[in-house]
Amino acid sequence: MKFKQLLILPFVLLGFTLSAQQNGGIVRGNIYDEESGEPIIYANVLLQGTDLGANTDLDGFFAISNVPAGEYKLVVTYLGYDSLAVDIKVKAGGIVYESMVMSPSGVELETVNVSSSREQARSDVKVSELRVTAKQIQSLPSTGGEADIAQYLPVLPGIIVSGDQGGQLYIRGGSPVQNKILLDGMTIYNPFHSIGLFSVFETEAVRSVDVLTGGFNAEHGGRISAVVDIKTREGNKKRMSGLVSGSPFLTKALIEGPIKKLGDDGGGSTSFILTGKHSYLDQSSKIFYDYAVDTTFFSFASQDTSLADIGEIGLPYTFTDLYGKISFVGDNGSKLNVFGFNFTDRFDFVGLAKLDWTNVGGGANFTLIPPNSNVILNGTVAVTDYDISLEEADGNPRQSGVSSFNALLNFTYFGNKNRFDYGFDFTGFNTDFTFRNFIGSTIQQRSFTTEVAGYFKYKQRLGDLIIEPGLRLHYYASQSEMSIEPRFGLKYNITDFLRIKFGAGVYSQNVISTVNDLDVVNFFIGFLAGPEETLFKPASNEPVDQPLQKAIHAIGGVEVDVGDQLTINVEPYLKRFTQLININRNKLSDFDPDFITETGEAYGIDLSARYQAQNGYLWATYSLGRVTRDDGNQVYPTIFDRRHNINLLGVYTFGKDKLWEASLRWNMGSGFPFTQTQGFYEQNDFTNLLFTNILTGNFDLGTILSDEINGGRLPYYHRLDASVKRTIEFGKHTSMDINLSITNVYNRENIFYVDRVTNSRVNQLPILPALGVQFNF
């Protein structure tokens, strides 16, 4: 019955849209950069002499509704570009479309009174939402001289990473599987490589990264903590261009260009972009970073493995990432993107562990702008296949595979001071999972499940108040469970420089990860569908009320503009995880359940201040948080419960024509929790008493842990990274970037963890200088 109700939802929403009639006309269009054909994002579009206007979106698209019939001058402005003005005539009920290109300005503005980003802050709710650009990522001091989103995300408030090798990304108390990572609308199951410093995404191909750390609205679902939505750009629509770069860590290349050029006055185009990168750290580390091998990766050595042997191994990480896209853009702004990718990762500690994973897939997304309707359609169809296997010396197999298909369809209706979004999401995935624990008990699952969701979100501006209610209905077929998830967002502009905001919602998911919240480091990242077996409440024999993982978010916030250049943001938050499901790793017999449940909480406050100047910017963030889990026996902090976290980032451009750029990043965080050691014992399983002398035999050493989970704390972590970049220009479109970076400038010995048996300390990255060169054409 619940599923039938979900099927009726499209017709109800369609009727609502068709009933929203307008008396006036519609003005819409796309704004492009003259030199590359890239969309101009956040440009200000205004009908001169009126209060009717809009900002362009990620596609450079804008729409102004309910425009009275008449003649107008359409004016477009954007910082660093010459203004545009065009005369238009609007008819009652008619639609006017303009495709325009903007030229970079020859005049450099000394001050900026109102930026487009601030205008967006005043007109959108944007609770716990940050947008990151490729330029910001490239400005960060990067390990190995290669900018990557994996290194930039931990700079954002509320986000921490547990380690440099096999470390995981945690967003406001949510574990990695509770974060949805999207690439052009596709779900990427494992976006970070084993070395932990690099993602599968190519920075130069990224258009935007939207990081939703909580309280996100109804268009997103299937995860209970956060969303990272990455969108790549189209290829150059005007000319062939690209880059080639190299550093001690990897090489990469990008090529792009038009198949059909974008005209000088806009219009349609066809373009492509192809990127690839390959790591050779397994070879270069023996030459450049042999000292890092001995100190950082000793944890993988057995008692019979010498440091010399490890030095011969090097840092045995290697990966290859390929991504390509062809973009078709129509005369009226409609577009179709067809894309594909192949990501691979491998490490091989000879005689100890060998891991391989691959992630391949492809699909298409589109935007359809009907010529006689104010409803814009967009959607995505994609398939992915992720496989991972781990072979260890103990012979216990670990294997996981996920094959998924997803289709999304979204509709947007633009009103004058309102906007109505609704859509539908279908996901189907196969999981194939095998895991054997320390006593040889095997957990295995092969399943196919589907999820169907429908949502709507309504945005209304009432003077200085913006409200954004939403509702998501998410049906999980394998569980025969409908999750009803109300969402709500609000912003109130108290003054032009002071705003308050609020967001809340209910969230659910059905996918489970092999990574446990008690793991310090885990290279094996597998996935499986939520169990169809009976689950029990924490530490009890009472069945659970429902079989899904669920959470409730409540987030507030204050935004303050101090002058023209400084913005301060304060956000307190609460995430209550009402049900979490984990693999039962302590399963002792076939009669024990394969899965256990927990509950949890994450709460705190994030503060950030950003100072934007003509030659650079300063960004400071502080996060105070607490993350706990309740297994029914005790409430304990998770291993990623970093109580205090500070990030300072500064970027400064200088010199003639601003061809020099210097940047510094300093991070300090309180120590992670760990479970303390209570004692040791000899591991004799008494399986061969006839030939075993239990009095004189030497057995492996086992550890007895404290009954208090994560009762200890590691020392504070802090690290300074720095970089200097020099751009050498050879022509209008040809240049070379030389980037000198130093990771961990003062060589702080930050502890990763301690081997309990050998008492060997394993540290994070030592000082790592690197020189990278990138040639742009």
Side-chain angles (χ1 to χ4, degrees):
M1 185 63 182
K2 293 179 179 178
F3 184 63
K4 292 180 179 178
Q5 292 172 348
L6 184 60
L7 292 178
I8 295 172
L9 183 62
F11 302 101
V12 176
L13 296 176
L14 182 60
F16 179 91
T17 303
L18 294 176
S19 66
Q21 300 295 325
Q22 300 186 83
N23 296 322
I26 301 169
V27 179
R28 63 192 186 197
N30 286 82
I31 313 298
Y32 300 105
D33 176 85
E34 183 184 46
E35 294 187 355
S36 67
E38 272 290 290
I40 303 294
I41 304 172
Y42 292 163
N44 296 303
V45 184
L46 182 70
L47 294 177
Q48 195 174 71
T50 75
D51 61 352
L52 299 176
N55 295 110
T56 55
D57 63 10
L58 286 175
D59 296 318
F61 177 79
F62 69 90
I64 307 172
S65 301
N66 291 331
V67 179
E71 296 182 357
Y72 298 90
K73 186 177 289 292
L74 182 67
V75 179
V76 184
T77 59
Y78 189 72
L79 177 64
Y81 286 79
D82 292 330
S83 298
L84 282 178
V86 60
D87 294 322
I88 61 172
K89 185 175 182 179
V90 180
K91 297 180 180 179
I95 296 177
V96 176
Y97 176 84
E98 293 287 341
S99 178
M100 296 174 283
V101 295
M102 299 188 75
S103 303
S105 174
V107 179
E108 193 168 317
L109 301 179
E110 294 297 327
T111 59
V112 182
N113 293 322
V114 181
S115 68
S116 59
S117 59
R118 282 193 176 179
E119 186 60 32
Q120 283 282 318
R122 296 184 182 107
S123 58
D124 290 337
V125 174
K126 289 190 176 296
V127 176
S128 296
E129 180 177 347
L130 292 168
R131 175 159 289 173
V132 179
T133 65
K135 184 177 180 180
Q136 291 172 324
I137 299 172
Q138 291 163 356
S139 298
L140 182 76
S142 51
T143 301
E146 295 290 350
D148 194 277
I149 189 175
Q151 300 174 47
Y152 193 91
L153 287 177
V155 178
L156 304 180
I159 301 181
I160 63 169
V161 64
S162 60
D164 301 317
Q165 309 95 38
Q168 299 295 308
L169 197 71
Y170 300 90
I171 303 179
R172 280 187 176 171
S175 57
V177 72
Q178 295 159 7
N179 307 322
K180 175 172 278 190
I181 311 295
L182 297 171
L183 174 63
D184 290 332
M186 297 180 293
T187 299
I188 303 298
Y189 286 93
N190 189 1
F192 304 111
H193 288 295
S194 298
I195 186 62
L197 302 171
F198 299 98
S199 69
V200 299
F201 314 112
E202 180 51 59
T203 302
E204 281 78 8
V206 168
R207 172 173 291 165
S208 69
V209 181
D210 288 326
V211 184
L212 290 71
T213 57
F216 45 92
N217 217 302
E219 67 269 33
H220 294 295
R223 295 296 187 275
I224 61 175
S225 184
V227 176
V228 179
D229 189 1
I230 300 168
K231 293 182 174 64
T232 60
R233 60 183 178 85
E234 291 109 25
N236 195 314
K237 301 179 180 68
K238 290 283 191 173
R239 61 180 186 85
M240 293 294 295
S241 61
L243 64 89
V244 178
S245 75
S247 74
F249 280 62
L250 57 87
T251 57
K252 64 182 179 183
L254 179 150
I255 187 159
E256 58 181 316
I259 299 174
K260 175 189 175 184
K261 287 186 178 182
L262 177 71
D264 294 336
D265 56 350
S269 66
T270 304
S271 62
F272 77 94
I273 185 169
L274 177 64
T275 72
K277 64 176 180 279
H278 177 72
S279 166
Y280 45 82
L281 186 60
D282 56 334
Q283 301 299 320
S284 62
S285 60
K286 302 174 187 178
I287 302 172
F288 299 110
Y289 307 117
D290 57 339
Y291 61 92
V293 174
D294 296 343
T295 59
T296 307
F297 295 87
F298 179 77
S299 60
F300 291 98
S302 67
Q303 295 180 358
D304 298 327
T305 305
S306 67
L307 292 178
D309 294 333
I310 302 175
E312 289 299 319
I313 296 174
L315 305 184
Y317 298 93
T318 183
F319 57 83
T320 302
D321 299 327
L322 299 172
Y323 180 84
K325 180 165 73 171
I326 298 177
S327 302
F328 306 88
V329 180
D331 293 339
N332 69 337
S334 296
K335 69 175 184 176
L336 170 68
N337 295 311
V338 181
F339 46 79
F341 65 87
N342 188 325
F343 308 137
T344 63
D345 185 279
R346 175 188 177 94
F347 78 72
D348 187 0
F349 286 90
V350 178
L352 301 173
K354 178 181 176 182
L355 178 140
D356 287 279
W357 64 253
T358 61
N359 198 353
V360 299
N365 58 41
F366 68 90
T367 298
L368 178 62
I369 304 177
N372 299 311
S373 171
N374 200 23
V375 178
I376 309 301
L377 292 79
N378 67 79
T380 301
V381 178
V383 294
T384 63
D385 186 73
Y386 170 75
D387 287 289
I388 184 170
S389 62
L390 175 65
E391 299 176 13
E392 295 184 283
D394 61 9
N396 290 330
R398 297 187 186 185
Q399 182 274 331
S400 179
V402 179
S403 299
S404 69
F405 166 83
N406 70 295
L408 301 91
L409 185 61
N410 305 300
F411 301 81
T412 301
Y413 167 83
F414 293 94
N416 187 9
K417 294 185 179 296
N418 56 53
R419 171 173 167 165
F420 183 58
D421 294 86
Y422 64 93
F424 314 96
D425 185 352
F426 174 82
T427 301
F429 59 94
N430 287 298
T431 60
D432 186 354
F433 172 76
T434 303
F435 173 82
R436 192 159 68 211
N437 69 5
F438 64 99
I439 68 164
S441 182
T442 299
I443 298 174
Q444 190 171 34
Q445 184 197 81
R446 290 186 177 91
S447 67
F448 174 77
T449 185
T450 57
E451 301 175 12
V452 184
Y455 81 91
F456 77 83
K457 181 179 72 172
Y458 179 72
K459 175 185 173 183
Q460 178 69 56
R461 183 158 191 165
L462 304 168
D464 294 321
L465 177 66
I466 306 165
I467 58 171
E468 200 171 69
L471 178 67
R472 186 178 184 90
L473 302 179
H474 203 119
Y475 180 75
Y476 297 90
S478 62
Q479 308 288 1
S480 298
E481 187 77 18
M482 172 74 81
S483 180
I484 302 174
E485 303 172 6
R487 314 280 176 85
F488 183 75
L490 174 149
K491 176 169 284 185
Y492 182 64
N493 293 281
I494 300 175
T495 68
D496 284 343
F497 59 85
L498 178 62
R499 303 172 290 277
I500 59 173
K501 55 188 175 181
F502 174 77
V506 176
Y507 306 87
S508 67
Q509 75 177 69
N510 193 40
V511 64
I512 297 173
S513 172
T514 60
V515 177
N516 191 281
D517 287 347
L518 295 175
D519 291 337
V520 176
V521 58
N522 196 321
F523 291 94
F524 180 78
I525 303 174
F527 299 91
L528 59 161
E532 298 177 31
E533 65 183 55
T534 301
L535 298 172
F536 299 95
K537 294 182 179 180
S540 77
N541 293 321
E542 182 182 354
V544 299
D545 300 325
Q546 52 82 30
L548 301 173
Q549 300 188 78
K550 287 212 167 185
I552 301 171
H553 297 186
I555 300 168
V558 178
E559 298 172 354
V560 184
D561 299 331
V562 183
D564 294 332
Q565 297 170 306
L566 176 63
T567 300
I568 298 173
N569 185 61
V570 182
E571 285 189 358
Y573 66 90
L574 169 66
K575 292 182 181 179
R576 180 160 291 168
F577 302 101
T578 55
Q579 181 161 286
L580 300 171
I581 303 173
N582 291 315
I583 295 173
N584 184 7
R585 297 188 176 191
N586 296 321
K587 180 176 180 177
L588 300 177
S589 71
D590 292 338
F591 299 101
D592 291 333
D594 290 339
F595 301 91
I596 58 173
T597 64
E598 291 183 319
T599 60
E601 278 192 345
Y603 55 89
I605 185 168
D606 291 334
L607 300 91
S608 64
R610 185 182 181 94
Y611 179 82
Q612 184 74 50
Q614 180 184 350
N615 293 331
Y617 66 90
L618 296 172
W619 195 18
T621 68
Y622 168 69
S623 296
L624 172 66
R626 179 174 173 82
V627 186
T628 61
R629 298 287 187 260
D630 184 354
D631 62 2
N633 296 312
Q634 62 179 294
V635 177
Y636 62 92
T638 64
I639 59 100
F640 51 92
D641 175 40
R642 172 157 279 172
R643 198 63 46 81
H644 307 279
N645 196 47
I646 298 173
N647 272 291
L648 302 176
L649 174 63
V651 179
Y652 181 67
T653 57
F654 60 98
K656 184 180 179 181
D657 298 325
K658 296 183 180 180
L659 297 177
W660 288 86
E661 181 181 82
S663 58
L664 291 172
R665 183 245 177 155
W666 184 71
N667 174 224
M668 184 181 74
S670 56
F672 289 124
F674 71 98
T675 303
Q676 295 169 306
T677 302
Q678 202 170 47
F680 301 93
Y681 67 96
E682 287 191 286
Q683 290 181 313
N684 183 1
D685 58 9
F686 301 103
T687 56
N688 194 356
L689 290 176
L690 185 62
F691 298 100
T692 301
N693 189 329
I694 61 174
L695 298 178
T696 61
N698 291 320
F699 307 100
D700 292 337
L701 200 62
T703 57
I704 302 174
L705 301 182
S706 170
D707 292 335
E708 183 181 4
I709 300 175
N710 290 338
R713 288 272 174 177
L714 295 174
Y716 265 68
Y717 170 99
H718 55 87
R719 192 178 92 187
L720 175 68
D721 300 340
S723 71
V724 176
K725 182 171 69 175
R726 173 69 161 94
T727 299
I728 302 173
E729 295 182 338
F730 302 110
K732 183 178 180 180
H733 301 296
T734 308
S735 64
M736 182 171 64
D737 296 329
I738 303 174
N739 190 349
L740 173 63
S741 68
I742 303 177
T743 299
N744 197 358
V745 172
Y746 49 81
N747 202 23
R748 162 75 175 182
E749 292 186 347
N750 290 301
I751 188 171
F752 195 5
Y753 63 92
V754 174
D755 187 299
R756 297 181 188 274
V757 176
T758 65
N759 200 35
S760 302
R761 171 171 168 154
V762 180
N763 287 329
Q764 305 272 14
L765 288 177
I767 183 171
L768 293 177
L771 182 66
V773 178
Q774 179 170 299
F775 181 73
N776 309 288
F777 59 91

